[in-house]
Amino acid sequence: MSRRLLCTALWLAACAAPAAAQTRAELSQRIARLTTAFARAETARLRADSAARARVTFDTIRAGPMRVLAARSIVRAVAPAVDSAWRALEATFGLSARIVGQETIAVQFWGQAEGNIPFDSPNTINLPAAPPTELVTRYVIQQGSRIVRQTEDTQLTSWLSPQFAPGGPALDRLDVVYVELATSPRSKARSCFVGDLVACRAALGLAGREDPVRAWYDAADRRAIVRRFGRLGGDVGRCQRDGPDEACEAALRLIPPEQLPRPLSPAAQLSLLQIVLDAGGPGAYDRLRSSAAAKHSIEERLALTARVASGDSLLSAWRAKVHAARPHTVEVSAGSAWAAVLWGVVLGFLALRSTRWR
Amino acid sequence: MSHAVEIRDLHYRAGKTFEIRDLAVNVPTGSMYGFLGPNGSGKTTTIRLMLGLLRPIKGTITVLGGAVPRESPRILARTGYVPEQPHLYTSLTISEALAFHAAFYPTWDWKWANELLGQFQLRRDQGLARLSKGEMGKLEMLLALAQRPELLVLDEPTDGLDPVVRRDVLTALLDYVSQHNATVFISSHLIHELERICDWVGVMDRGRLVTELPMHSFKSGIKRLRVEHAPALPGDTPFVLLAREGGNGSLETWTVRGWQAPMRQYFEGVGASLREIVDLDLEEGFVELLRTFREPTIGA
Amino acid sequence: MFRQLLYTQWKWSRLVLLIICLASFALPLLSVQGVRPDDLGRFDIEQMLAGIQTWGLLYPILAAAAALILAMTTWGPDHRGKHIYALSLPIPRWHYALLRFGAGCVLLAAPVVAVWLGALVASAATRLPAGLEAYPTILAMRFALAALVAYAAFFAISAGTNRTAGIVLGVIGGLVVVQMILLVADTNINLVGPFMLQLFVWPGPLEIFTGRWMLIDV
């Protein structure tokens, strides 16, 4: 019973007593009695919950160091998903994946025979009845990734997209990155596209302790963002009326840094990370984590993990791969062209085979 | 005698009610063959079958020595066709229509086409949509003649035309035929017109050929006879008795086909008297022929 | 022969062909009308591409419309005359139909060239930022192929007898009716979906209509 309800009940109880002949002492005694009764009722409830929990049967599924709790009736459905999830986590995070064993994950399905189990774990996954194994795997991976990555250093966490996880968005969508670089409204992204590595560094957020308002945008970008965000207060009006850049800067500083639009989407960072992990080979992620101790910048850490000489080499390699992945969506493939010609011939032939023209 | 057109055992059906059955037509080469029949008798259908525009269910069609429809393109190149309804592209001018038509016929004679243009008083720049019925009829005939065909198939070519236009068209046709000995197959229900120009006639009714014979035989062969004291049963007659009707007293009226003068003797032989021989013109003969074909009254 | 057939078809369709050619020439120009070459560094490339893509939806529609109109004008006069003239000409029937088809294809080149010219002019008039390219020839080629497929389909339907057209419409109508019955009966059977998928996915006949009809793209 909540405190609010208790107070209300007490107040009502007090009001229910005859108004006459109620001294302060009598009211205090009454409140004390009701409080005692409430405490006894709360204890009984907790005891009942524990008893209910004790009656429920659930098992622990283990895969590597990972422990997943599940009701006995659904263990057979969950176990293969846990196995797949562990393998994916290990493949991506290497030895660091063992961190997942530090916490327990729980899985339950709606409508399972045992009913809702009040697991104490903050990593409880609730899924619809009879979900496909792939869905269970994906959610277990998500939780496992969260457990592993919550121990990353803040420098890596703040740079790396929260989407980085096995089975998440593909890391190698270089064609998407190409389109983004070529069509981005941000000057840093477009400068990166034409070959300015300094701009690439800024666009990818690799420059370390940078002031995003000055590092990520030029004056025109700042004005465009303020116009898009609209009501910010301060110097917004001046900025929007083609006032000085200082007004736009001041307006942007009203926005929390984590809410400022980045020059490039997480896909660009993930593609750079993929290159780093591929170049670094087995254990690359472990090395990336452990490089925090040497207090390098994020760019230096990535270069060290990828075993390249410098950040410039890494960015050049990344840029080259992005350009090589340019999509050709507008072009008509030979297959499409021939198929169209063939259909033209076939349909024309059908016309000649009409009974009238035969 | 060779035939420009030979049709044997032709069978065709259109819809549920109309049928051409067991049709046999022979058009002698070099003749002008008049194809007679009332409206809806199957004349146009027969012509379309003959030219391969329609496909029969059964039967053989041979035109100018070629089998239809297998050799239709070769046959059509030597055949001039004037259909019942104008079939040209009305969005063209006369000049364009001539050029279009000429492109398909290797035997096209531009010189003669130009002469006919003058003869028919047609202007090159006239749009076909603006031509009168008579002008369109003349143009159709011009197109058919200018390609110098061996066979002309004309489906009611003068229908709806005024006498002046009709004369112009028929004159041009007869000129061509006389110079080139072409075969003409002309269908019409204007009997008097065919009477003047045709030397063969075929009569069609309800999808069947009623008769096919030289024109002079057709014209002279059908007579109405007034017979007195006619025998109840005529027996074997030297002529074809189409109908007999009772008149006043013992006088009967006989309609006969294939009459010739020496056949009087038949009546003497059966004890009857031939009182009068009435010549029927082609139209009356045609009507009688159809009437007796539809409702035979021999022995009534 | 072919020249005369081409002439007649041109004469029947010249007015509507002119309109289609004007529309074909104008479409690429309209699609880049929002591009401000003098404001090169500041305009929103994404918005520009989105606008071009929106205009691009009209290309397949225009190709199909051009094809439909040409097919109808090809056979219209013959239909009105019940094909008597065409069937009485001294060439094999299939040959005549083939010549008509070829003449229509030649006429179809006019809107294709119009699209190409319009795209060339639009590309030349637009200064593109780095990363973007103009594709006037590919656009015209895609337009030509789509128009060819549509023309062949409409030509085949127009050239057929009423019975053929009735069969085609009957099959389509039957498919729709059966699908509706299955829907009402609460079954999960989907007939129309897979059929449509086969049409629009390679090597289906309508695959050329899908894809990005973009004059300017990355």
Side-chain angles (χ1 to χ4, degrees):
Chain A
M1 191 186 286
S2 68
R3 279 202 168 278
R4 197 171 173 180
L5 195 56
L6 171 64
C7 292
T8 308
L10 289 173
W11 183 83
L12 283 172
C15 291
Q22 284 250 325
T23 63
R24 189 186 288 269
E26 283 171 352
L27 280 172
S28 298
Q29 282 172 9
R30 193 177 173 81
I31 287 170
R33 281 198 302 277
L34 287 169
T35 306
T36 308
F38 171 71
R40 278 205 294 270
E42 186 68 10
T43 305
R45 185 190 70 79
L46 286 171
R47 204 178 294 131
D49 277 349
S50 299
R53 216 177 301 145
R55 281 196 295 276
V56 170
T57 50
F58 58 86
D59 282 342
T60 302
I61 304 167
R62 294 179 195 276
M66 192 161 72
R67 287 175 297 134
V68 175
L69 307 178
R72 196 163 284 173
S73 64
I74 65 170
V75 162
R76 288 183 71 177
V78 173
V82 170
D83 192 54
S84 300
W86 165 247
R87 279 189 268 115
L89 288 166
E90 190 177 30
T92 301
F93 297 117
L95 290 174
S96 302
R98 305 196 75 81
I99 297 170
V100 76
Q102 293 175 3
E103 292 186 27
T104 305
I105 299 172
V107 176
Q108 50 186 353
F109 299 164
W110 295 344
Q112 63 191 14
E114 293 82 352
N116 182 50
I117 302 173
F119 288 114
D120 284 334
S121 168
N123 306 310
T124 302
I125 302 168
N126 291 298
L127 292 170
T133 305
E134 294 79 23
L135 187 68
V136 182
T137 306
R138 190 157 76 232
Y139 274 87
V140 172
I141 289 174
Q142 240 175 38
Q143 287 295 332
S145 300
R146 192 187 62 76
I147 295 168
V148 171
R149 294 200 56 206
Q150 69 189 4
T151 59
E152 282 174 355
D153 58 278
T154 50
Q155 184 189 47
L156 186 60
T157 302
S158 64
W159 179 78
L160 197 55
S161 163
Q163 295 175 8
F164 171 55
L171 303 186
D172 57 352
R173 292 300 311 275
L174 291 169
D175 55 335
V176 172
V177 178
Y178 181 96
V179 173
E180 190 181 353
L181 281 179
T183 63
S184 173
R186 306 287 168 251
S187 58
K188 294 290 182 200
R190 288 207 300 280
S191 297
C192 174
F193 179 79
V194 297
D196 183 350
L197 293 185
V198 174
C200 292
R201 188 169 284 120
L204 288 166
L206 295 174
R209 291 183 209 282
E210 55 196 8
D211 172 17
V213 172
R214 294 202 72 82
W216 290 355
Y217 318 119
D218 63 5
D221 287 340
R222 283 189 279 272
R223 194 180 310 283
I225 292 169
V226 169
R227 281 182 174 153
R228 179 165 287 188
F229 270 76
R231 294 181 181 280
L232 294 171
D235 285 328
V236 168
R238 271 180 69 212
C239 172
Q240 288 177 338
R241 287 192 299 271
D242 291 330
D245 183 45
E246 290 76 26
C248 301
E249 219 178 291
L252 281 181
R253 292 195 194 287
L254 298 173
I255 303 172
E258 59 273 13
Q259 289 183 22
L260 283 170
R262 287 177 169 253
L264 289 174
S265 70
Q269 287 163 318
L270 289 175
S271 67
L272 178 61
L273 180 68
Q274 182 65 57
I275 291 171
V276 168
L277 294 178
D278 287 345
Y285 178 74
D286 297 318
R287 289 202 302 282
L288 182 61
R289 284 172 66 105
S290 59
S291 63
K295 300 206 187 306
H296 293 300
S297 69
I298 192 67
E299 182 183 344
E300 287 164 344
R301 288 173 67 180
L302 290 172
L304 282 170
T305 305
R307 296 186 177 127
V308 296
S310 65
D312 279 358
S313 305
L314 183 63
L315 288 174
S316 295
W318 171 78
R319 207 179 142 274
K321 280 188 184 263
V322 168
H323 272 266
R326 178 178 163 233
H328 299 276
T329 51
V330 176
E331 292 176 2
V332 177
S333 67
S336 286
W338 279 113
V341 169
L342 202 62
W343 277 110
V345 169
V346 165
L347 291 167
F349 178 74
L350 284 177
L352 303 185
R353 294 302 300 162
S354 161
T355 49
R356 177 178 283 138
W357 301 108
R358 226 180 290 168
Chain B
M1 179 168 44
S2 67
H3 294 108
V5 178
E6 281 183 21
I7 299 176
R8 295 276 176 274
D9 301 321
L10 195 67
H11 185 198
Y12 175 80
R13 186 180 290 133
K16 287 184 184 159
T17 52
F18 180 75
E19 190 180 21
I20 290 177
R21 184 183 280 282
D22 301 325
L23 186 67
V25 173
N26 299 282
V27 179
T29 305
S31 69
M32 289 195 73
Y33 189 105
F35 200 44
L36 280 172
N39 294 333
S41 57
K43 301 191 298 297
T44 298
T45 306
T46 302
I47 286 173
R48 289 179 180 173
L49 287 162
M50 204 163 82
L51 296 176
L53 274 61
L54 297 173
R55 302 278 161 89
I57 297 170
K58 200 180 75 160
T60 60
I61 304 170
T62 308
V63 178
L64 299 176
V68 172
R70 201 177 66 243
E71 296 173 76
S72 284
R74 202 172 58 81
I75 294 165
L76 289 170
R78 298 147 64 198
T79 305
Y81 174 47
V82 175
E84 184 185 21
Q85 299 287 339
H87 66 332
L88 304 173
Y89 300 131
T90 52
S91 57
L92 303 180
T93 62
I94 288 180
S95 175
E96 290 166 347
L98 289 174
F100 183 88
H101 204 80
F104 290 90
Y105 293 92
T107 54
W108 182 267
D109 185 342
W110 272 110
K111 185 162 170 283
W112 199 36
N114 292 329
E115 281 177 25
L116 285 171
L117 263 181
Q119 191 177 323
F120 287 153
Q121 295 175 325
L122 296 171
R123 288 195 341 265
R124 288 177 185 281
D125 60 344
Q126 276 176 293
L128 266 62
R130 293 183 185 278
L131 294 181
S132 66
K133 197 173 166 88
E135 287 170 329
M136 182 62 87
K138 286 192 274 190
L139 178 62
E140 295 267 7
M141 185 60 75
L142 186 161
L143 290 174
L145 292 175
Q147 68 187 78
R148 299 286 190 195
E150 296 170 36
L151 168 68
L152 277 155
V153 178
L154 314 173
D155 192 351
E156 308 205 20
T158 58
D159 186 34
L161 304 186
D162 66 55
V164 175
V165 173
R166 207 180 297 149
R167 184 201 62 198
D168 289 342
V169 166
L170 290 177
T171 303
L173 174 66
L174 292 171
D175 282 346
Y176 179 79
V177 169
S178 66
Q179 288 168 25
H180 296 89
N181 199 31
T183 308
V184 177
F185 184 96
I186 178 168
S187 89
S188 182
H189 57 269
L190 300 177
I191 298 162
H192 296 295
E193 195 168 84
L194 295 188
E195 189 178 0
R196 291 202 320 265
I197 63 175
C198 293
D199 44 25
W200 272 82
V201 64
V203 179
M204 190 151 184
D205 188 32
R206 296 179 181 179
R208 305 255 180 146
L209 191 71
V210 176
T211 187
E212 180 182 66
L213 70 173
M215 179 62 80
H216 65 84
S217 302
F218 185 77
K219 278 196 320 193
S220 61
I222 299 183
K223 306 281 185 192
R224 202 172 277 140
L225 309 176
R226 302 260 191 258
V227 180
E228 197 173 22
H229 305 303
L233 295 171
D236 279 336
T237 60
F239 43 79
V240 177
L241 178 60
L242 297 177
R244 59 188 287 185
E245 290 159 35
N248 297 326
S250 58
L251 203 60
E252 286 187 9
T253 302
W254 286 22
T255 306
V256 302
R257 197 180 77 201
W259 174 258
Q260 291 176 15
M263 291 175 186
R264 283 177 169 271
Q265 292 175 10
Y266 160 79
F267 290 101
E268 290 161 13
V270 298
S273 301
L274 182 58
R275 290 287 179 225
E276 191 183 4
I277 301 173
V278 178
D279 285 329
L280 300 181
D281 64 17
L282 193 63
E283 186 162 342
E284 288 170 324
F286 171 69
V287 169
E288 278 303 317
L289 194 63
L290 287 185
R291 189 175 67 81
T292 54
F293 179 72
R294 289 175 184 181
E295 300 160 14
T297 55
I298 304 300
Chain C
M1 260 187 255
F2 179 74
R3 206 163 42 177
Q4 286 299 323
L5 281 166
L6 180 61
Y7 176 79
T8 53
Q9 270 179 242
W10 172 78
K11 191 161 187 195
W12 295 335
S13 60
R14 60 187 172 183
L15 183 60
V16 71
L17 199 60
L18 176 67
I19 295 170
I20 290 171
C21 287
L22 287 173
S24 302
F25 182 79
L27 190 52
L29 296 167
L30 289 171
S31 70
V32 298
Q33 63 178 344
V35 176
R36 296 184 296 278
D38 296 330
D39 197 14
L40 203 61
R42 294 297 148 240
F43 64 78
D44 191 342
I45 300 178
E46 284 173 351
Q47 253 184 357
M48 181 191 81
L49 290 179
I52 291 174
Q53 191 169 14
T54 302
W55 280 102
L57 295 174
L58 292 178
Y59 288 107
I61 294 171
L62 189 60
L68 174 64
I69 289 168
L70 273 175
M72 285 168 60
T73 53
T74 293
W75 288 115
D78 277 319
H79 276 314
R80 282 193 289 277
K82 296 182 184 166
H83 299 273
I84 300 290
Y85 193 22
L87 293 175
S88 64
L89 291 172
I91 60 171
R93 295 182 175 192
W94 64 266
H95 191 190
Y96 178 83
L98 187 64
L99 289 174
R100 281 271 180 231
F101 183 75
C105 287
V106 169
L107 291 176
L108 212 53
V112 170
V113 169
V115 163
W116 186 56
L117 290 175
L120 284 174
V121 170
S123 307
T126 309
R127 208 158 20 114
L128 298 174
L132 295 189
E133 284 188 32
Y135 299 92
T137 305
I138 290 175
L139 184 67
M141 191 169 89
R142 188 187 283 275
F143 186 87
L145 291 169
L148 172 66
V149 172
Y151 174 69
F154 291 129
F155 181 89
I157 294 171
S158 297
T161 57
N162 290 341
R163 188 162 153 261
T164 306
I167 291 171
V168 169
L169 289 172
V171 165
I172 295 171
L175 204 63
V176 170
V177 166
V178 167
Q179 180 66 68
M180 284 171 63
I181 292 171
L182 290 172
L183 271 174
V184 166
D186 208 20
T187 62
N188 283 333
I189 302 172
N190 187 0
L191 293 174
V192 175
F195 176 69
M196 295 297 284
L197 196 67
Q198 292 307 313
L199 286 180
F200 285 96
V201 170
W202 190 89
L206 302 182
E207 187 266 341
I208 194 69
F209 284 85
T210 62
R212 290 169 70 84
W213 291 80
M214 303 281 285
L215 172 59
I216 295 171
D217 203 4
V218 293

